Amino acid sequence: MDRHAWDARYATTGLLWGEEPNRFLVTETAGLSPGRALDLACGHGRNAVWLARNGWDVTGVDFSEVGLGKARDLAAGQGVEVEWVAADLNDYEPEPAAFDLVVVLYLQLPEPELTPVLVRAAGALAPGGTILIVSHDATNIAEGAGGPQDPDVLATPESLATHLPSVWVQRAERVRRPVTVDGAERMAIDALVRARRPVTR
């Protein structure tokens, strides 16, 4: 989906994914000391706002102005400040070696487009910083539920991890997430990668 399609989608409903943060963001960042965080493809801001509520200095980036408008309202309603940046991640250049946490959650792009985004995301990590990537997994079409049905925009933990230069991969595996489909609970399959940039001495 392009920028205009996402603008239209955000405009026709409330908060698409509600106000609560992604479950994997919560569990995978537990124990990290707050610092600077970068949320790429932040959508309507639920994850960026949650990070800000928990003491992080957050920058959220998305190409949908409508989504960012809802993100601003969400942040204001919860009494936090987030720097919102309207930019296409195909062109966005984050500040290098500047962030203690970078999150890329459900950015579903074909691999030739996704690879440079992830390379730049990893390059934005400060020494000791953590990057968290979650994507709909390639097996989700046949074995899971929901999510994109185009295999070209799906990933595996292994493929995501190969695009992260100069980091130590701490976790790269498939994870399951409950979703409701036609009134019944099913399990979606996601690819999750968490990595850390080494501290150089």
Side-chain angles (χ1 to χ4, degrees):
M1 296 173 69
D2 63 15
R3 179 196 316 258
H4 302 295
W6 275 109
D7 279 346
R9 188 175 182 190
Y10 284 127
T12 56
T13 185
L15 298 179
L16 281 174
W17 300 283
E19 294 186 11
E20 293 303 310
N22 176 268
R23 65 177 57 227
F24 301 121
L25 174 66
V26 174
T27 58
E28 296 298 322
T29 60
L32 295 182
S33 297
R36 292 189 70 191
L38 177 64
D39 183 1
L40 297 175
C42 66
H44 61 60
R46 62 179 180 137
N47 296 309
V49 168
W50 179 82
L51 287 167
R53 279 177 27 221
N54 283 274
W56 293 84
D57 178 8
V58 187
T59 299
V61 184
D62 203 276
F63 66 2
S64 171
E65 291 282 7
V66 177
L68 290 175
K70 294 194 172 188
R72 292 185 185 96
D73 291 342
L74 182 61
Q78 298 199 17
V80 296
E81 292 187 5
V82 175
E83 179 187 3
W84 303 110
V85 177
D88 189 323
L89 293 184
N90 288 312
D91 306 314
Y92 177 70
E93 296 277 354
E95 185 180 350
F99 294 92
D100 304 292
L101 174 66
V102 177
V103 296
V104 188
L105 304 182
Y106 304 103
L107 176 62
Q108 307 300 145
L109 294 175
E111 189 169 14
E113 295 177 42
L114 182 62
T115 298
V117 173
L118 295 184
V119 169
R120 291 192 294 268
L125 285 176
T130 295
I131 185 168
L132 175 66
I133 305 167
V134 182
S135 170
H136 297 284
D137 190 78
T139 63
N140 192 62
I141 292 179
E143 302 173 27
Q149 299 300 295
D150 179 1
D152 289 340
V153 300
L154 302 180
T156 66
E158 295 78 15
S159 68
L160 294 173
T162 61
H163 303 313
L164 299 176
S166 304
V167 299
W168 170 45
V169 176
Q170 300 170 303
R171 185 181 183 194
E173 59 189 82
R174 290 183 173 92
V175 291
R176 295 183 180 270
R177 171 174 49 88
V179 295
T180 301
V181 179
D182 297 328
E185 185 174 286
R186 297 183 57 192
M187 300 302 291
I189 305 172
D190 293 336
L192 184 152
V193 174
R194 186 187 71 233
R196 183 172 179 265
R197 184 170 182 177
V199 177
T200 55
R201 295 197 172 130

